[in-house]
Every structure is written in structure tokens, then in C-alpha cells.
Amino acid sequence: MGHNLQGINVEDYIYEGPFIKFHHHLNIGPGVYSLNKKVMETLNKGLVDIIWIDNKSFLNSSSLKQIKKLFPNTKVVNIVTDDITGRLRNQWRLSLSNAKYVDCFFVQRKVNIDELKKAGAQNVALCYRSYDPEFHRPVQLNWEDILKYKSTIGFVGTYENNREDYIAYLIQNNIPVSITGDGWPKGKQWDIIKPFYKGPSVYGEAYIKTINGMDIALHFLRHGNRDEQDSRTFEIPACGVFMLAEKSDAHESLFKEGKEAGFFTVKEQLLEKVKYYLQHE
């Protein structure tokens, strides 16, 4: 868009070396110190209009106070894709304790808005996930792709108890569901899931082809993160594939039910809708 950007890769500071767990879970350690030092060195080199924090912030109060004092016109913005005030809020210690120094938070869940404001945030706005139209798109599968990716009903995503319960229920009711993603072999109902499991998570074109190979793409939200929508909310429809998704306020606001997507709330309703759409393409 014509702006000058300089990125600081958090991975280099936080997620390398022997202190990864201290950095990630407690927001302390040498990597956190080095990252803060790098940010301040970068700011001292020239005018910066916006400091854009992607997801978890490792900026401490000392750095943020200096930024407000030395660079009063620089805005601090934090886009948070995870559940910052949820069950893992202790891992967001610096983000929450320093919320008052952030000019604007962008969050993915309505519940985060009031909870962040209680933590001291002044401005909190709701935003949604997205898709890349050059990547998430309809593709024509060749014969080799069809043999590998084609499925009547499919799900792509990591294991969760709730997801396993729903998919196992469909399978037990003679609805074959193709499953792609990590963690499924550890489930309690693995014996039911195993014949329909296609393998661990896929990326790149393999991910796009996996979605494009489905007639019906199931979409489950992550309950532990209190999700109302996520990336697949947009990626599946962008691929031109019919999405049968878990109902939420966000999903209902984004799509016309029965015209642009299908929704379900309980296992019995999911089974009923799957049977209906298998007969009504």
C-alpha cells in the first residue's frame, strides 16, 4: 500500500534457545529483554508512525513508557488472534498488564472487548480473520488429485474432543468423514476414526486441494479459545466449497444460512443436515 515497513521477527528472540518456555509462558527471560532492546534501537533510528504488534506482545512496561515519553506521536497497535483473556490468560501477562499503553487492540471475539477494557485498554475493536484470494481459491483437480483428495464429507483441522465426538457420531451413523490434521491418533475414539484418517496437517497447495476435494466441508470452532469465527470460516467458502459450520453469532452475521453456508449446533442436527444435503446437492 506504499508504506515503509520494517519487521522484527519475534521467533529469533522468543522461540529459540533454552528459555523458550520462560519466554512464552511467563513472558520473562533473556529473549524478552533482547527483543525489547531491539525495538527501542529501531525506534531511535528514525520516525515510526505505528508499532504494530502481531498477537502476543513481549514489550515490557519500561519500553512502552519510554515509547510514550520519547515518541508521543507513535501509535502502538496490537492485533490479537488468540483468546487473550481466556483460560490461558496467564501466558499473556505482559500484554494484559500493559494494556493501558496500547492505543488500540484489534480482537477476534466480542467477549475480549469488555475483558480487555477491564484490564485497562482504552480502545478495543472487533475484526475478523481473512483469506488470500490468490491462494484460497477454487482449483480443478486432475485424476491423480481426485484419487488423493476427493471426499464426499471432509474435515481439515487439529484434534479436539468435541470434534472427535461429532465426527465419530457421523461415522457410527454410516456417514464417512475424511479427516486431515494433527493429533487425531491420541483420541479416545481413534478406532472409529482411524479408517477415515488421511494423515497429519497439510499446507500450501495440498491444503487447498484437500478443501477443494470435499463436497461438504465440515467446520468446527475451537471451544477452548471461545472462537466465533476463524480462518477456515473464510478459506472454505473462498475455495468455492460448501461449508457446514458450527453455528455462532459471527457465522450467522457473515453468511445467509441455507444459501451461503449451513450451520449446526448439536450432533443430531449435524447428522440431519448432512443427510439432507447429500440428497440435495
Side-chain angles (χ1 to χ4, degrees):
M1 296 172 67
H3 303 292
N4 294 318
L5 303 175
Q6 180 175 351
I8 298 175
N9 189 357
V10 174
E11 298 278 337
D12 296 339
Y13 299 88
I14 303 299
Y15 297 108
E16 290 188 0
F19 298 99
I20 293 175
K21 290 185 178 179
F22 288 94
H23 296 157
H24 181 78
H25 295 291
L26 302 177
N27 303 169
I28 59 174
V32 174
Y33 171 81
S34 297
L35 176 62
N36 278 262
K37 183 179 179 181
K38 176 65 175 179
V39 170
M40 297 311 300
E41 288 174 351
T42 303
L43 291 175
N44 284 319
K45 290 179 181 178
L47 176 65
V48 172
D49 295 315
I50 296 175
I51 299 172
W52 184 278
I53 302 169
D54 181 26
N55 220 30
K56 186 180 291 186
S57 173
F58 295 97
L59 294 183
N60 56 40
S61 59
S62 176
S63 295
L64 288 164
K65 287 177 181 177
Q66 285 189 64
I67 291 168
K68 293 300 179 184
K69 180 180 179 180
L70 301 176
F71 312 101
N73 295 321
T74 297
K75 302 300 181 184
V76 180
V77 175
N78 193 174
I79 181 167
V80 182
T81 54
D82 289 322
D83 191 358
I84 184 172
T85 51
R87 59 188 177 89
L88 299 177
R89 61 179 293 133
N90 290 337
Q91 298 181 11
W92 296 79
R93 183 181 63 85
L94 285 179
S95 301
L96 292 171
S97 64
N98 297 318
K100 62 184 177 182
Y101 299 114
V102 175
D103 293 287
C104 186
F105 281 95
F106 291 102
V107 297
Q108 309 273 298
R109 301 154 189 79
K110 287 187 291 186
V111 68
N112 291 154
I113 296 176
D114 287 339
E115 291 174 351
L116 262 173
K117 287 183 176 179
K118 289 179 181 178
Q122 300 300 311
N123 297 301
V124 188
L126 187 68
C127 71
Y128 288 143
R129 301 302 285 266
S130 58
Y131 71 96
D132 180 351
E134 295 184 4
F135 179 63
H136 305 102
R137 69 202 189 282
V139 298
Q140 188 70 39
L141 301 181
N142 59 34
W143 282 110
E144 184 179 347
D145 291 332
I146 289 172
L147 291 174
K148 186 174 183 179
Y149 297 108
K150 186 62 180 175
S151 62
T152 304
I153 303 164
F155 174 72
V156 55
T158 56
Y159 169 87
E160 280 199 346
N161 291 337
N162 178 68
R163 298 171 178 182
E164 181 189 56
D165 287 342
Y166 276 64
I167 290 175
Y169 177 78
L170 291 180
I171 293 172
Q172 289 175 313
N173 282 275
N174 300 313
I175 303 294
V177 182
S178 172
I179 305 113
T180 302
D182 294 335
W184 290 89
K186 71 179 182 181
K188 295 180 180 179
Q189 303 185 69
W190 173 239
D191 289 342
I192 298 172
I193 299 290
K194 186 176 180 179
F196 304 91
Y197 183 61
K198 298 182 73 171
S201 295
V202 290
Y203 304 94
E205 286 299 306
Y207 173 70
I208 300 303
K209 289 180 179 180
T210 297
I211 294 177
N212 272 271
M214 302 174 186
D215 293 332
I216 299 176
L218 300 180
H219 178 30
F220 298 94
L221 295 169
R222 190 177 291 277
H223 290 199
N225 278 0
R226 301 187 292 181
D227 283 348
E228 299 169 353
Q229 49 79 40
D230 61 18
S231 296
R232 273 185 287 278
T233 295
F234 304 93
E235 293 169 356
I236 293 171
C239 289
V241 173
F242 169 46
M243 180 175 69
L244 187 52
E246 205 166 351
K247 182 176 287 188
S248 70
D249 290 344
H251 279 169
E252 289 186 295
S253 71
L254 290 163
F255 303 101
K256 295 178 181 178
E257 185 172 8
K259 292 185 178 182
E260 298 173 330
F263 301 131
F264 64 89
T265 54
V266 295
K267 290 186 289 189
E268 293 76 14
Q269 185 183 34
L270 173 59
L271 176 61
E272 179 184 340
K273 292 205 171 188
V274 166
K275 288 181 176 180
Y276 174 82
Y277 283 113
L278 288 176
Q279 299 297 320
H280 300 82
E281 185 179 342

